[in-house]
Every structure is written in C-alpha cells, then in structure tokens.
Amino acid sequence: MISLLIVDDEKIIRRGLQSVIERQLPNQFSYRFAENGQEALELLRLEPADIMFTDIRMPIMDGLELLEQLQDDPVKPEVILLSGYNDFVYAQKAIRCAVKDYLIKPVKLDELFAILERLMLEIRMREERADTAGDEARISAAELVTLYLTQKDVGDAITPDEAGLSWLDAGYTLGLLMRRGGGAQTSGADAASFRDQIAELLQGHIDWMLTRDGVGGTIVIARDPEIFYQLAERWKLRESEPQLRIAISDAVQGIEQIRWAYSQAKQTLKYGLLLPELDVLEYTGVIHERNEQHVVPVESIRRILNLIGMGRGDEIKQLLDQILDVRMISSCEIGYLERISQLLNEELFDKLFHIYGYKALDLLRSHANVGHIGNFDRLEDYYIATWQLLDRLDRFIPDWREKAPAEQNTMQKVIAYLQTHYADDLNMAVVSNHFSLNYSYFSQAFQEYSGESFSSYVRRLRLEKAKELLVTSDLKVYEISEQVGFENVKHFTRKFKDTEGITALEFRNQRRQMIEPRMP
C-alpha cells in the first residue's frame, strides 16, 4: 500500500480526510497522523511516507518549518500543502520547498482526488521502474504497452515491431483481471504474485502478453479471446483462491488502439456488481441497450436524511428499496448506480457527519466500505451494508440527542473556566481532568461545541486578551506575552503577526491613533 501521512492540529480534519479518501480510493493507502510538524518529523524519521498532507498553521512547528526541516532528508514524501488562507506568500515558500500541490480549505474533493490519482500513478510507475532497473537493457514489450496506456507521448520508445508485438496489427482483445473481493490490484508483492499465477496458467498459449496498467491493475492482451474463458476455468481449480473476474474489450487492431480497448475493459469491469454470476464480462454484451436517461432519485435520498433518528426505520427501508431497486438499476448503465452511491455519500452520510461530528464519524468509519460500490462484488451486498449503516445511524441519533443537553452544559462550564484561567499552563489533559472527563471524549466534545480545536481556541483567546492589553495598558510586549499565558515572547510575536498580519507594536500604535482625540 501507499503510505499517507496527514498532519493537521485539528482531529476532525485529519479523520475527515481519511474518511473521504478511503471512500473514494478504498484499500489504496495506509494512514498515519500527526498534530504538528514536530510530531510529523519524528514519524518520518522512524518510517518515511510516500505522500504527506500538511496544514500550514499549527502549534509547536508549522507546515513550512516542517518542509524546511525535510529538505536535507534523503527520502522525502510527496507533499500537498493545506491552508485555510489563500496567501500567495505561503504558496511561494511552498514552491521553494518542492511541494507537489497546494489545496485551500475547505478542500474541493475533485481537486483532492485528481492530485492523489496523479501521485499514485507517479509513485507506482517509479516503483515498477525500480523493480526492473538493471534487469533489461531496453524497454520490454510489457513496459511498452504500459507506456502507451499511461503516457500521451511515448517519445523515443521502441516500436511494436522491435518489441515483438507486430501480431497486434492482426487484431487482439484486452482483458482487465482482478480477484473478487480484493478490489483493484495494487503494486508490490501481492500484485506481482497475482501476475505470476496468471502467467503460469497461460503457459502453452500463443500470441498473448501480460502487463500492468500503471495503477495496480493486471492486463492480459490476447489474439484469441477464448483464452480468457479458459483462464477463468483454470483459475476455478485453485480452491484456496478467490474467484477471478475478467472484463474484456471488443477486438481492436494495432497498439494505437490500446487505450480505447483498456477504457472499454475498465468500464465493463464495473458491471460485475450487477452480473455476479459471470466470470468473464464482454464489453458489447454488458453495455448493449442500457438506459442512460433515468433520473437519479435525489429527493428520496434527502427524505432518508430527514427520517434518520425519527424511529421510522420501515419508511427508511422502503425508500432504500426504491433507490436500489435491482430491476431498475440492472437496466441502466453503471453511471446511474455510481451517481446514487455518490449522492448517498454527499446528501446523506457527509451531512450526518457535519451535523453529529465525531460520534457519527466513528460509526461511519466502521462502515467505510459503504462509501464506494467498488468494495462489493454484488449489488445485494452493497444494499445490505448500506441498510445496516442506516439502521445503526437511526438508532444512534436518538441516544445522542438525549445526551446532548448535558454535554452542552458541561462545555459551557469549560468555556467559562478557560475565560478565567487562560493565562494558566493549560492543556487538554489538565482541563479534562479538572472536569473528570475522558481525554479523547473531551477533545471531540470540545471541537463539536466550539467549532475549533482546544489548542486553537486557547490560542485565539489569549491573543484577544493580548490585544486588549496592548491598547489599554503600557505593559511591554514580553510582559503581555507572559500575562496572557504564552510560553515565550518569540512564540507570541510570531503567532500575533501570523494572525493579525502586523506586529504587536504596530497593532498598538495603529489602535491608539484611532482612539486618540484629534487636536482642534
């Protein structure tokens, strides 16, 4: 798996990013988390990461300082910078630190996934090149096909004739292979082992080749499409292995048609959800005469949102039965089901997370596979998993509503305590112990109540008190820093300028000029 490190001082951002990525790109990443740059640096020194998302503004060590610290490391992650501030100065600094991309909060999901898919391709191609470096003096036939699939301009690559692929001119079929229940094949030992097993079963046939698609998928190209049916039958004899599913294109000619054939096979593979009884799915047979015009039931999905937590499970199930009506879906092209899945995420699960925060997130994470239909081999399995999640949410929300008033009362007391003790040596452990609350629970509850993390709230409160003292007193900056609870004046001055855009002294002079009476 590709290793992903998410660095942000807000847990809701860290876990929220994991949730949406896992839903769109399931089983592709292993995740680690850090609350600040220092913690991230320690994690990276223990074990490098392939990709790192990092916020800019964090306590202890911010994102830009983290990037500067990483510059001399021999192994650095691909970095995507996150910020709630569209500030060109930060972007300039990030570019100097070789940041791959820059996303503004709230992150747009299409931009997020586009960046991730591009980086996944780059990482896997790099790994695959490293695996074969030095083994061959020139590009093999399989690598040439991968180049045609993944790059618009093949450049100076060898020709099909030089690679022994002239037989493609007479016509061929492309098959995309996967093991059921395993999702797309990924790079590494597991994918390599899968390809080895396929190659073993194809021994004895002529005019075929085995290759990769650049994103972890396994491809077989064959002159005779009957090979795919024979392969499926031979695979069935391996009792310990999950069933094999193969999606094949129409017959095409010439290596120039490789992308078209691959796009057909990739689209066809999605229909395995609707046709679980088939081991081999043919493009023409699957796509033929499917309804592309049916209207997605948006209002029914929104009605489920309104019913969740009302104790009306029968109505929710009836609506879900209508939304995922197998007769309707089986007659439509796969994009109809993909759109339903997307809307269930956006109009239902995402909104429930927005309303109920961490508590709902924990429940949603335990059913993360519902977020993407590609996690299922059958539509029936997707329906069952979706209903189980809706049923649990329907029973969870009334309990949450009963507890909410008591929680709000406690959080009101916490806020009042912070307003009085902001200058003390505060941290979440101290405050949660003072109110006899579990540390993890306190972190989540405070975020939900205040709309920001504990550290962000305390920092903002201290800065507000400092601004009052700058205007109303003649205390020196370092004295104000101490009085409002900052650990040192350097930290205070940096945070003040980051927040206000000017220094503390400039702020004092500016505000005093505004309130001084003008001379006649």
Side-chain angles (χ1 to χ4, degrees):
M1 283 189 174
I2 293 174
S3 59
L4 181 61
L5 175 61
I6 301 175
V7 189
D8 197 292
D9 60 336
E10 296 190 36
K11 183 177 180 181
I12 194 168
I13 298 295
R14 299 195 302 271
R15 294 300 184 181
L17 268 177
Q18 179 193 13
S19 180
V20 297
I21 292 171
E22 188 63 24
R23 196 163 60 208
Q24 181 71 15
L25 300 167
N27 306 316
Q28 299 291 324
F29 302 98
S30 61
Y31 296 88
R32 287 185 295 166
F33 306 94
E35 294 187 8
N36 55 66
Q38 182 62 49
E39 186 177 333
L41 200 60
E42 292 170 0
L43 289 175
L44 290 170
R45 298 280 161 78
L46 290 173
E47 182 181 347
D50 295 312
I51 300 173
M52 179 175 74
F53 286 91
T54 180
D55 193 14
I56 290 179
R57 302 190 177 216
M58 297 178 292
I60 303 176
M61 180 187 291
D62 63 24
L64 294 179
E65 188 177 348
L66 167 62
L67 297 182
E68 291 171 358
Q69 292 280 344
L70 287 173
Q71 289 310 295
D72 296 329
D73 281 20
V75 181
K76 294 186 283 290
E78 306 286 8
V79 178
I80 301 100
L81 206 60
L82 302 171
S83 177
Y85 302 85
N86 193 359
D87 192 324
F88 183 65
V89 174
Y90 288 123
Q92 286 181 312
K93 291 182 180 178
I95 290 169
R96 290 200 295 271
C97 293
V99 167
K100 276 288 184 178
D101 229 311
Y102 188 91
L103 291 173
I104 305 298
K105 298 178 184 177
V107 174
K108 294 181 180 178
L109 296 186
D110 56 344
E111 294 179 2
L112 169 67
F113 298 138
I115 290 170
L116 279 174
E117 287 171 356
R118 171 168 55 82
L119 292 180
M120 289 165 65
L121 176 58
E122 291 178 7
I123 290 167
R124 283 167 174 158
M125 290 292 288
R126 188 163 62 240
E127 289 176 349
E128 290 170 356
R129 284 196 298 269
D131 289 342
T132 59
D135 293 338
E136 298 177 359
R138 61 179 190 167
I139 301 173
S140 68
E143 289 170 329
L144 178 62
V145 170
T146 302
L147 279 175
Y148 268 92
L149 282 173
T150 58
Q151 299 185 21
K152 292 181 180 179
D153 183 8
V154 180
D156 297 327
I158 59 177
T159 66
D161 286 346
E162 292 173 316
L165 293 175
S166 57
W167 59 271
L168 295 180
D169 293 335
Y172 61 92
T173 300
L174 182 146
L176 185 58
L177 285 60
M178 66 173 287
R179 285 171 288 193
R180 298 195 189 195
Q185 302 303 324
T186 60
S187 61
D190 185 59
S193 173
F194 178 62
R195 288 193 292 270
D196 288 344
Q197 292 176 68
I198 295 298
E200 181 184 340
L201 293 177
L202 288 173
Q203 294 302 317
H205 292 284
I206 61 171
D207 291 343
W208 63 272
M209 66 170 297
L210 179 67
T211 187
R212 307 169 291 241
D213 63 1
V215 289
T218 296
I219 291 173
V220 170
I221 295 173
R223 175 179 291 179
D224 182 3
E226 194 61 31
I227 283 179
F228 296 107
Y229 291 92
Q230 295 173 12
L231 177 61
E233 289 300 317
R234 290 182 181 181
W235 185 270
K236 284 182 179 178
L237 299 177
R238 295 172 172 257
E239 296 181 0
S240 61
E241 294 287 348
Q243 281 185 281
L244 183 67
R245 174 163 286 154
I246 307 173
I248 63 176
S249 70
D250 286 339
V252 295
Q253 290 180 307
I255 198 169
E256 297 80 8
Q257 294 293 311
I258 196 80
R259 288 184 189 151
W260 172 240
Y262 173 70
S263 68
Q264 287 186 342
K266 189 175 181 181
Q267 184 70 1
T268 303
L269 190 61
K270 297 177 181 178
Y271 285 89
L273 190 72
L274 305 179
L275 300 164
E277 71 280 2
L278 298 181
D279 296 320
V280 181
L281 304 166
E282 297 183 13
Y283 175 76
T284 299
V286 165
I287 303 296
H288 184 61
E289 293 184 353
R290 287 190 176 272
N291 185 349
E292 299 181 4
Q293 305 299 322
H294 197 73
V295 178
V296 177
V298 181
E299 291 305 317
S300 295
I301 293 172
R302 289 174 178 165
R303 284 181 62 195
I304 288 180
L305 177 64
N306 295 332
L307 290 171
I308 287 285
M310 303 293 289
R312 294 160 70 175
D314 290 344
E315 293 179 53
I316 293 173
K317 193 171 187 301
Q318 287 175 8
L319 287 168
L320 186 64
D321 289 345
Q322 295 169 16
I323 293 166
L324 296 178
D325 183 350
V326 65
R327 292 167 300 179
M328 174 66 70
I329 290 174
S330 295
S331 68
C332 295
E333 55 99 24
I334 197 66
Y336 176 71
L337 179 57
E338 290 177 325
R339 181 63 178 147
I340 287 176
S341 176
Q342 179 184 2
L343 285 171
L344 284 170
N345 288 329
E346 294 175 355
E347 297 294 331
L348 186 55
F349 301 130
D350 286 352
K351 289 186 176 179
L352 285 169
F353 166 59
H354 180 74
I355 295 169
Y356 297 106
Y358 284 112
K359 297 180 182 63
L361 179 60
D362 290 339
L363 187 55
L364 291 168
R365 190 185 298 122
S366 68
H367 291 74
N369 61 334
V370 171
H372 197 282
I373 59 172
N375 293 325
F376 299 90
D377 287 323
R378 302 182 305 163
L379 177 61
E380 179 185 358
D381 296 334
Y382 176 65
Y383 168 86
I384 291 171
T386 304
W387 164 242
Q388 288 175 342
L389 175 55
L390 291 174
D391 183 51
R392 288 194 64 186
L393 286 166
D394 187 47
R395 289 183 281 112
F396 152 79
I397 288 171
D399 292 340
W400 180 90
R401 287 173 178 159
E402 288 181 8
K403 297 175 182 176
E407 291 179 1
Q408 289 181 352
N409 184 51
T410 301
M411 286 302 110
Q412 288 171 359
K413 293 178 180 178
V414 170
I415 295 297
Y417 178 85
L418 295 178
Q419 291 283 345
T420 305
H421 296 84
Y422 61 88
D424 295 350
D425 183 14
L426 292 176
N427 56 54
M428 280 204 298
V430 170
V431 179
S432 60
N433 286 337
H434 180 81
F435 286 92
S436 302
L437 296 173
N438 173 271
Y439 181 90
S440 298
Y441 166 80
F442 175 79
S443 174
Q444 296 174 4
F446 188 89
Q447 176 85 44
E448 291 172 9
Y449 181 81
S450 68
E452 58 187 318
S453 68
F454 177 86
S455 59
S456 294
Y457 180 88
V458 172
R459 183 169 59 249
R460 182 174 59 80
L461 177 60
R462 286 170 171 169
L463 287 172
E464 289 299 321
K465 298 297 183 182
K467 285 157 64 177
E468 291 178 15
L469 291 173
L470 283 167
V471 176
T472 61
S473 79
D474 292 322
L475 293 171
K476 298 183 183 302
V477 171
Y478 77 86
E479 293 174 325
I480 292 175
S481 169
E482 291 177 357
Q483 284 202 18
V484 299
F486 278 89
E487 57 193 36
N488 59 65
V489 69
K490 182 179 178 181
H491 184 221
F492 167 71
T493 54
R494 187 179 65 181
K495 290 302 177 185
F496 193 96
K497 187 171 183 180
D498 284 347
T499 304
E500 300 297 324
I502 57 177
T503 67
L505 287 177
E506 288 171 335
F507 178 88
R508 168 179 274 172
N509 293 334
Q510 183 188 83
R511 291 299 189 274
R512 286 187 173 180
Q513 287 175 5
M514 293 172 61
I515 62 176
E516 285 178 357
R518 294 183 179 181
M519 296 295 292

